Amino acid sequence: MARLGFVLSYRYDIYYSRESNDYCAYSPDIKGLFAESKDLNEVVSAMQEGAKELVSIDLGRNVDHLCPTGIISKALPV
């Protein structure tokens, strides 16, 4: 679908770890997409940039039509 120019959507989960006092995020939709930071905004930004990079590598070209949808911001203690 991405090769045809359709907008791709993906999900990611964000958790807050009391143990390490930071936010951890991963995507069940994009293999290898993970981020960790003390700042929630940094984690969100890293996830968005990482998604573009990983999908671009997979497709062999730049992807500008990638959109996070259904973001699950649980921020649950783990």
Side-chain angles (χ1 to χ4, degrees):
M1 298 300 276
R3 294 179 200 276
L4 298 174
F6 287 91
V7 174
L8 299 177
S9 61
Y10 64 98
R11 300 167 292 146
Y12 58 86
D13 297 328
I14 301 173
Y15 297 93
Y16 179 75
S17 172
R18 285 189 213 159
E19 198 172 280
S20 60
N21 196 31
D22 60 4
Y23 295 92
C24 302
Y26 79 96
S27 175
D29 299 326
I30 301 175
K31 185 177 178 180
L33 183 56
F34 177 84
E36 185 176 358
S37 177
K38 301 267 184 222
D39 183 71
L40 180 60
N41 291 328
E42 286 181 19
V43 168
V44 171
S45 179
M47 291 299 286
Q48 292 170 347
E49 291 303 313
K52 285 182 184 178
E53 185 175 333
L54 289 172
V55 172
S56 292
I57 290 169
D58 189 46
L59 295 176
R61 64 183 175 93
N62 287 338
V63 176
D64 293 325
H65 45 282
L66 191 62
C67 175
T69 60
I71 297 169
I72 306 165
S73 184
K74 294 181 179 176
L76 295 175
V78 290

Coordinates of all heavy atoms in Angstrom, one line a residue:
M1 N 0.8 -1.2 0.0 CA 0.0 0.0 0.0 C 0.9 1.3 0.0 O 0.5 2.2 -0.7 CB -0.9 0.0 1.2 CG -1.9 -1.2 1.2 SD -3.0 -1.2 -0.2 CE -4.2 -0.1 0.4
A2 N 1.9 1.2 0.8 CA 2.8 2.4 0.9 C 3.5 2.7 -0.5 O 3.7 3.8 -0.9 CB 3.9 2.2 1.9
R3 N 3.8 1.6 -1.2 CA 4.4 1.8 -2.5 C 3.5 2.5 -3.5 O 3.9 3.1 -4.5 CB 4.8 0.4 -3.1 CG 5.9 -0.3 -2.3 CD 6.2 -1.6 -2.9 NE 6.9 -2.5 -2.0 CZ 8.2 -2.5 -1.7 NH1 9.0 -1.6 -2.3 NH2 8.7 -3.3 -0.9
L4 N 2.2 2.4 -3.3 CA 1.2 3.1 -4.1 C 0.8 4.5 -3.7 O 0.0 5.2 -4.3 CB -0.1 2.2 -4.2 CG 0.0 0.8 -4.7 CD1 -1.3 0.1 -4.6 CD2 0.4 0.9 -6.2
G5 N 1.5 4.9 -2.6 CA 1.2 6.3 -2.1 C 0.2 6.5 -1.1 O -0.2 7.6 -0.7
F6 N -0.4 5.3 -0.6 CA -1.4 5.4 0.5 C -0.8 5.8 1.8 O 0.4 5.5 2.1 CB -2.1 4.1 0.7 CG -3.1 3.7 -0.4 CD1 -2.6 3.0 -1.5 CD2 -4.4 4.2 -0.4 CE1 -3.5 2.7 -2.6 CE2 -5.2 3.9 -1.4 CZ -4.8 3.1 -2.5
V7 N -1.5 6.5 2.6 CA -1.1 6.9 4.0 C -1.1 5.7 4.8 O -2.1 4.9 4.9 CB -2.0 8.0 4.6 CG1 -1.6 8.2 6.0 CG2 -1.9 9.3 3.8
L8 N 0.0 5.4 5.5 CA 0.1 4.3 6.4 C -0.1 4.7 7.8 O 0.4 5.8 8.2 CB 1.5 3.6 6.3 CG 1.9 3.1 4.9 CD1 3.4 2.6 5.0 CD2 1.0 2.0 4.5
S9 N -0.8 3.9 8.5 CA -1.0 4.3 9.9 C -0.4 3.2 10.8 O -0.3 2.0 10.4 CB -2.5 4.4 10.3 OG -3.2 3.3 10.0
Y10 N 0.0 3.5 12.0 CA 0.6 2.6 12.9 C 0.2 3.0 14.3 O -0.1 4.1 14.6 CB 2.1 2.5 12.7 CG 2.8 3.8 13.0 CD1 3.4 4.0 14.3 CD2 2.9 4.9 12.1 CE1 4.1 5.2 14.6 CE2 3.5 6.0 12.4 CZ 4.1 6.2 13.6 OH 4.8 7.4 13.9
R11 N 0.4 2.0 15.2 CA 0.1 2.3 16.7 C 1.4 2.2 17.5 O 2.4 1.5 17.0 CB -0.8 1.2 17.2 CG -2.1 1.2 16.5 CD -2.9 -0.1 16.9 NE -2.2 -1.2 16.3 CZ -2.1 -2.4 16.9 NH1 -2.7 -2.7 18.1 NH2 -1.5 -3.4 16.4
Y12 N 1.4 2.9 18.6 CA 2.5 2.6 19.6 C 2.0 2.8 21.0 O 1.0 3.6 21.2 CB 3.7 3.4 19.3 CG 3.6 4.9 19.2 CD1 3.7 5.7 20.4 CD2 3.5 5.6 18.0 CE1 3.7 7.1 20.4 CE2 3.4 7.0 18.0 CZ 3.5 7.7 19.1 OH 3.5 9.0 19.1
D13 N 2.6 2.1 21.9 CA 2.2 2.2 23.3 C 3.3 2.9 24.1 O 4.5 2.7 23.8 CB 2.1 0.7 23.9 CG 0.9 0.0 23.2 OD1 0.0 0.6 22.8 OD2 1.1 -1.3 23.1
I14 N 2.9 3.7 25.0 CA 3.9 4.3 25.9 C 3.6 4.0 27.3 O 2.5 4.0 27.8 CB 3.8 5.9 25.8 CG1 4.0 6.3 24.3 CG2 4.8 6.6 26.7 CD1 3.8 7.8 24.0
Y15 N 4.7 3.6 28.0 CA 4.6 3.2 29.4 C 5.5 4.1 30.3 O 6.6 4.5 29.8 CB 5.0 1.8 29.6 CG 4.1 0.8 28.9 CD1 4.4 0.3 27.6 CD2 2.9 0.3 29.5 CE1 3.5 -0.5 27.0 CE2 2.1 -0.5 28.9 CZ 2.4 -1.0 27.6 OH 1.6 -1.8 27.0
Y16 N 5.1 4.3 31.5 CA 6.0 5.0 32.4 C 6.6 4.0 33.4 O 5.8 3.2 34.0 CB 5.3 6.1 33.2 CG 6.2 6.8 34.1 CD1 7.1 7.8 33.7 CD2 6.1 6.6 35.5 CE1 7.9 8.4 34.6 CE2 6.9 7.2 36.4 CZ 7.9 8.1 35.9 OH 8.7 8.7 36.8
S17 N 7.9 4.0 33.5 CA 8.5 3.1 34.5 C 9.0 3.8 35.7 O 9.8 4.7 35.7 CB 9.8 2.5 33.8 OG 10.5 1.7 34.7
R18 N 8.4 3.4 36.8 CA 8.8 4.0 38.1 C 10.2 3.6 38.5 O 10.9 4.4 39.1 CB 7.9 3.6 39.2 CG 6.5 4.2 39.2 CD 5.8 3.9 40.5 NE 4.3 3.8 40.2 CZ 3.5 3.1 40.9 NH1 3.8 2.5 42.0 NH2 2.2 3.1 40.5
E19 N 10.5 2.4 38.1 CA 11.9 1.9 38.4 C 13.0 2.7 37.8 O 14.0 3.0 38.5 CB 11.9 0.4 37.9 CG 13.0 -0.4 38.5 CD 12.9 -1.8 38.1 OE1 12.1 -2.5 38.7 OE2 13.6 -2.2 37.2
S20 N 12.9 3.0 36.5 CA 13.9 3.8 35.9 C 13.5 5.3 35.7 O 14.3 6.1 35.2 CB 14.2 3.2 34.5 OG 13.0 3.2 33.7
N21 N 12.3 5.6 36.1 CA 11.8 7.0 36.1 C 11.9 7.6 34.7 O 12.3 8.7 34.5 CB 12.6 7.9 37.1 CG 11.9 9.2 37.3 OD1 10.7 9.3 37.3 ND2 12.7 10.2 37.6
D22 N 11.4 6.8 33.7 CA 11.4 7.3 32.3 C 10.2 6.7 31.6 O 9.5 5.8 32.1 CB 12.7 7.1 31.6 CG 13.1 5.6 31.5 OD1 12.3 4.7 32.0 OD2 14.2 5.3 31.0
Y23 N 10.0 7.1 30.3 CA 9.0 6.6 29.5 C 9.6 5.7 28.5 O 10.6 5.9 27.9 CB 8.3 7.8 28.7 CG 7.5 8.7 29.6 CD1 8.1 9.8 30.2 CD2 6.2 8.5 30.0 CE1 7.5 10.7 31.0 CE2 5.5 9.3 30.8 CZ 6.2 10.4 31.3 OH 5.5 11.3 32.2
C24 N 8.9 4.6 28.2 CA 9.3 3.6 27.2 C 8.1 3.4 26.2 O 7.0 3.4 26.6 CB 9.6 2.2 27.9 SG 10.8 2.3 29.2
A25 N 8.5 3.3 25.0 CA 7.5 3.2 23.9 C 7.9 2.1 23.0 O 9.1 1.9 22.7 CB 7.2 4.5 23.2
Y26 N 6.9 1.4 22.4 CA 7.2 0.4 21.4 C 6.0 0.4 20.4 O 4.9 0.8 20.8 CB 7.5 -1.0 21.9 CG 6.2 -1.7 22.3 CD1 5.6 -2.6 21.5 CD2 5.6 -1.5 23.6 CE1 4.5 -3.3 21.8 CE2 4.5 -2.1 23.9 CZ 3.9 -3.0 23.1 OH 2.7 -3.7 23.4
S27 N 6.2 -0.2 19.2 CA 5.1 -0.3 18.3 C 4.9 -1.8 18.0 O 5.8 -2.5 17.6 CB 5.4 0.4 17.0 OG 4.4 0.2 16.0
P28 N 3.6 -2.2 18.1 CA 3.3 -3.6 17.7 C 3.2 -3.7 16.2 O 3.1 -4.8 15.7 CB 1.9 -3.8 18.4 CG 1.3 -2.5 18.6 CD 2.5 -1.5 18.8
D29 N 3.2 -2.6 15.5 CA 3.0 -2.6 14.1 C 4.3 -2.5 13.3 O 4.4 -2.9 12.1 CB 2.1 -1.4 13.6 CG 0.7 -1.5 14.2 OD1 0.2 -2.7 14.4 OD2 0.1 -0.5 14.5
I30 N 5.4 -1.9 13.9 CA 6.6 -1.7 13.2 C 7.7 -2.4 13.9 O 8.1 -1.9 15.0 CB 7.0 -0.2 13.0 CG1 5.8 0.5 12.2 CG2 8.3 0.0 12.3 CD1 6.0 2.0 12.1
K31 N 8.2 -3.5 13.4 CA 9.2 -4.3 14.1 C 10.5 -3.4 14.3 O 11.0 -2.8 13.4 CB 9.6 -5.5 13.2 CG 10.5 -6.4 13.8 CD 10.8 -7.6 13.0 CE 11.8 -8.6 13.6 NZ 12.0 -9.7 12.8
G32 N 10.9 -3.5 15.6 CA 12.2 -2.8 16.0 C 12.0 -1.3 16.4 O 12.9 -0.7 16.8
L33 N 10.7 -0.8 16.4 CA 10.5 0.6 16.8 C 10.3 0.6 18.3 O 9.4 0.1 18.8 CB 9.2 1.1 16.1 CG 8.9 2.6 16.3 CD1 10.0 3.5 16.0 CD2 7.7 2.9 15.5
F34 N 11.3 1.3 18.9 CA 11.3 1.4 20.4 C 12.0 2.7 20.7 O 12.9 3.2 20.0 CB 12.1 0.3 20.9 CG 12.3 0.3 22.4 CD1 11.3 -0.1 23.3 CD2 13.4 0.9 23.0 CE1 11.5 -0.1 24.7 CE2 13.6 0.9 24.4 CZ 12.6 0.5 25.2
A35 N 11.6 3.4 21.8 CA 12.2 4.6 22.3 C 12.1 4.7 23.8 O 11.2 4.1 24.4 CB 11.5 5.8 21.7
E36 N 13.0 5.4 24.4 CA 13.0 5.6 25.8 C 13.6 6.9 26.2 O 14.6 7.4 25.6 CB 13.9 4.5 26.4 CG 13.9 4.4 27.9 CD 14.7 3.2 28.5 OE1 15.2 2.4 27.7 OE2 14.8 3.1 29.7
S37 N 13.0 7.6 27.1 CA 13.4 8.9 27.5 C 12.8 9.4 28.8 O 11.7 8.8 29.2 CB 13.1 10.0 26.4 OG 13.5 11.3 26.9
K38 N 13.4 10.3 29.5 CA 12.8 10.9 30.7 C 11.6 11.8 30.4 O 10.7 12.1 31.2 CB 13.8 11.6 31.5 CG 15.0 10.8 32.0 CD 14.7 10.2 33.3 CE 16.0 9.5 33.8 NZ 15.6 8.2 34.4
D39 N 11.6 12.3 29.1 CA 10.6 13.3 28.7 C 9.6 12.7 27.7 O 10.0 12.0 26.7 CB 11.4 14.5 28.0 CG 10.4 15.5 27.5 OD1 9.9 16.3 28.4 OD2 10.2 15.7 26.3
L40 N 8.4 12.8 28.0 CA 7.3 12.2 27.1 C 7.3 12.7 25.7 O 7.2 12.0 24.8 CB 5.9 12.4 27.8 CG 4.7 11.9 27.1 CD1 4.8 10.3 26.9 CD2 3.5 12.2 27.8
N41 N 7.5 14.0 25.5 CA 7.6 14.6 24.2 C 8.7 14.1 23.4 O 8.6 13.9 22.2 CB 7.7 16.1 24.3 CG 6.4 16.7 24.8 OD1 5.3 16.2 24.6 ND2 6.5 17.9 25.5
E42 N 9.9 13.8 24.0 CA 11.0 13.2 23.3 C 10.7 11.8 22.8 O 11.1 11.4 21.7 CB 12.2 13.2 24.2 CG 12.9 14.6 24.4 CD 14.1 14.5 25.2 OE1 14.7 13.5 25.4 OE2 14.5 15.6 25.7
V43 N 10.0 11.0 23.7 CA 9.6 9.7 23.3 C 8.7 9.7 22.1 O 8.9 9.0 21.1 CB 9.0 8.9 24.4 CG1 8.3 7.6 24.0 CG2 10.0 8.6 25.5
V44 N 7.7 10.6 22.1 CA 6.7 10.7 21.0 C 7.5 11.1 19.7 O 7.3 10.5 18.6 CB 5.6 11.7 21.3 CG1 4.8 12.0 20.1 CG2 4.8 11.2 22.4
S45 N 8.4 12.1 19.8 CA 9.1 12.5 18.6 C 10.0 11.4 18.1 O 10.1 11.2 16.9 CB 10.0 13.7 19.0 OG 10.7 14.2 17.9
A46 N 10.7 10.7 19.0 CA 11.6 9.6 18.6 C 10.8 8.5 17.9 O 11.3 7.9 16.9 CB 12.3 9.0 19.8
M47 N 9.6 8.2 18.4 CA 8.7 7.2 17.8 C 8.3 7.6 16.4 O 8.4 6.8 15.4 CB 7.5 6.9 18.6 CG 7.8 6.2 19.9 SD 8.6 4.6 19.8 CE 7.2 3.6 19.2
Q48 N 8.0 8.9 16.2 CA 7.5 9.3 14.9 C 8.7 9.3 13.9 O 8.6 8.9 12.7 CB 6.9 10.7 15.0 CG 5.6 10.7 15.7 CD 5.0 12.0 16.1 OE1 5.7 13.0 16.0 NE2 3.8 12.1 16.5
E49 N 9.9 9.8 14.3 CA 11.0 9.8 13.4 C 11.5 8.4 13.1 O 11.9 8.1 12.0 CB 12.2 10.7 14.0 CG 11.9 12.1 14.1 CD 11.5 12.7 12.7 OE1 12.3 12.4 11.7 OE2 10.5 13.4 12.5
G50 N 11.5 7.6 14.2 CA 12.0 6.2 14.0 C 11.1 5.4 13.0 O 11.5 4.6 12.2
A51 N 9.8 5.6 13.1 CA 8.8 5.0 12.2 C 9.1 5.3 10.8 O 9.2 4.5 9.9 CB 7.4 5.4 12.6
K52 N 9.3 6.6 10.5 CA 9.7 7.0 9.1 C 10.9 6.4 8.7 O 11.0 5.9 7.5 CB 9.8 8.6 9.1 CG 8.5 9.3 9.1 CD 8.7 10.8 9.0 CE 7.4 11.5 9.2 NZ 7.6 13.0 9.1
E53 N 11.9 6.4 9.5 CA 13.2 5.8 9.1 C 13.1 4.3 8.9 O 13.6 3.8 7.8 CB 14.3 6.0 10.2 CG 15.7 5.6 9.9 CD 16.7 6.0 10.9 OE1 16.4 7.0 11.7 OE2 17.7 5.3 11.0
L54 N 12.5 3.6 9.8 CA 12.4 2.1 9.6 C 11.5 1.7 8.4 O 11.9 0.8 7.6 CB 11.8 1.4 10.8 CG 12.8 1.4 12.0 CD1 12.0 0.9 13.3 CD2 14.0 0.6 11.8
V55 N 10.4 2.4 8.1 CA 9.6 2.1 7.0 C 10.3 2.5 5.7 O 10.3 1.8 4.7 CB 8.2 2.8 7.1 CG1 7.4 2.6 5.8 CG2 7.5 2.2 8.3
S56 N 11.0 3.6 5.7 CA 11.8 4.1 4.5 C 12.9 3.0 4.2 O 13.1 2.7 3.0 CB 12.5 5.4 4.8 OG 11.5 6.4 4.9
I57 N 13.5 2.5 5.2 CA 14.6 1.5 4.9 C 13.9 0.2 4.3 O 14.4 -0.4 3.4 CB 15.3 1.1 6.2 CG1 16.2 2.3 6.6 CG2 16.1 -0.2 6.1 CD1 16.8 2.2 8.1
D58 N 12.8 -0.2 4.9 CA 12.1 -1.3 4.4 C 11.6 -1.2 3.0 O 11.7 -2.2 2.2 CB 10.9 -1.6 5.3 CG 10.2 -3.0 5.1 OD1 11.0 -4.0 4.9 OD2 9.0 -3.0 5.0
L59 N 11.1 0.0 2.6 CA 10.6 0.2 1.3 C 11.7 0.6 0.3 O 11.5 0.6 -0.9 CB 9.5 1.3 1.3 CG 8.3 1.0 2.0 CD1 7.3 2.1 2.0 CD2 7.6 -0.3 1.4
G60 N 12.8 1.0 0.8 CA 13.9 1.5 -0.1 C 13.8 2.9 -0.7 O 14.4 3.2 -1.6
R61 N 12.9 3.7 0.0 CA 12.7 5.1 -0.4 C 12.1 5.9 0.7 O 11.6 5.3 1.7 CB 11.9 5.2 -1.7 CG 10.4 4.7 -1.5 CD 9.7 4.8 -2.8 NE 8.4 4.2 -2.7 CZ 7.3 4.9 -2.4 NH1 7.4 6.2 -2.2 NH2 6.1 4.3 -2.3
N62 N 12.2 7.2 0.6 CA 11.6 8.0 1.7 C 10.1 7.9 1.7 O 9.5 7.8 0.7 CB 12.0 9.5 1.4 CG 13.5 9.8 1.7 OD1 14.1 9.0 2.4 ND2 14.0 10.8 1.1
V63 N 9.6 8.0 3.0 CA 8.2 7.9 3.2 C 7.7 9.1 3.9 O 8.2 9.4 5.0 CB 7.8 6.7 4.1 CG1 6.4 6.6 4.4 CG2 8.3 5.4 3.4
D64 N 6.9 9.9 3.2 CA 6.3 11.1 3.9 C 4.9 11.0 4.3 O 4.3 11.8 5.0 CB 6.4 12.3 2.9 CG 7.9 12.7 2.6 OD1 8.7 12.6 3.5 OD2 8.1 13.1 1.4
H65 N 4.3 9.9 3.9 CA 2.8 9.7 4.1 C 2.6 8.6 5.2 O 1.9 7.7 5.0 CB 2.1 9.3 2.8 CG 2.8 8.3 2.0 ND1 3.9 8.6 1.2 CD2 2.6 7.0 1.9 CE1 4.4 7.6 0.6 NE2 3.6 6.5 1.0
L66 N 3.3 8.8 6.3 CA 3.2 7.9 7.5 C 2.5 8.6 8.6 O 3.0 9.7 9.0 CB 4.6 7.4 7.9 CG 4.7 6.2 8.8 CD1 4.0 5.0 8.2 CD2 6.1 6.0 9.1
C67 N 1.5 8.1 9.2 CA 0.7 8.8 10.2 C 0.4 7.9 11.4 O -0.2 6.9 11.3 CB -0.6 9.2 9.5 SG -1.8 10.0 10.7
P68 N 0.8 8.4 12.6 CA 0.4 7.6 13.8 C -1.1 7.8 14.1 O -1.6 8.9 14.1 CB 1.3 8.3 14.9 CG 1.6 9.6 14.4 CD 1.6 9.6 12.9
T69 N -1.7 6.7 14.2 CA -3.2 6.8 14.6 C -3.4 5.8 15.7 O -2.8 4.8 15.9 CB -4.1 6.4 13.4 OG1 -3.8 5.1 13.0 CG2 -3.9 7.4 12.2
G70 N -4.4 6.1 16.5 CA -4.8 5.3 17.6 C -3.6 5.1 18.6 O -3.4 4.0 19.1
I71 N -2.9 6.2 18.8 CA -1.8 6.1 19.8 C -2.3 5.8 21.1 O -3.3 6.4 21.6 CB -1.1 7.5 19.8 CG1 -0.4 7.8 18.5 CG2 0.0 7.4 20.9 CD1 0.1 9.2 18.4
I72 N -1.8 4.8 21.7 CA -2.2 4.3 23.1 C -1.2 4.9 24.1 O -0.1 4.4 24.2 CB -2.3 2.8 23.1 CG1 -3.1 2.3 22.0 CG2 -2.8 2.3 24.5 CD1 -3.0 0.8 21.7
S73 N -1.5 5.9 24.7 CA -0.6 6.5 25.7 C -1.0 6.1 27.1 O -1.7 6.8 27.8 CB -0.7 8.1 25.6 OG 0.2 8.7 26.5
K74 N -0.6 4.9 27.4 CA -1.1 4.3 28.7 C -0.3 4.9 29.9 O -0.9 5.1 30.9 CB -0.8 2.8 28.7 CG -1.6 2.1 27.7 CD -1.3 0.6 27.7 CE -2.2 -0.1 26.7 NZ -2.0 -1.5 26.6
A75 N 0.9 5.2 29.7 CA 1.7 5.8 30.8 C 1.5 5.1 32.1 O 1.3 5.7 33.1 CB 1.5 7.3 30.9
L76 N 1.5 3.8 32.0 CA 1.3 2.9 33.1 C 2.6 2.6 33.8 O 3.6 2.4 33.2 CB 0.6 1.6 32.7 CG -0.8 1.7 32.1 CD1 -1.2 0.3 31.7 CD2 -1.8 2.2 33.2
P77 N 2.5 2.5 35.1 CA 3.7 2.1 35.8 C 4.0 0.6 35.5 O 3.1 -0.2 35.5 CB 3.4 2.3 37.3 CG 1.9 2.3 37.4 CD 1.4 2.8 36.0
V78 N 5.3 0.3 35.3 CA 5.7 -1.0 35.1 C 6.8 -1.5 36.1 O 7.4 -0.7 36.7 CB 6.3 -1.2 33.6 CG1 5.1 -1.1 32.6 CG2 7.3 -0.3 33.3

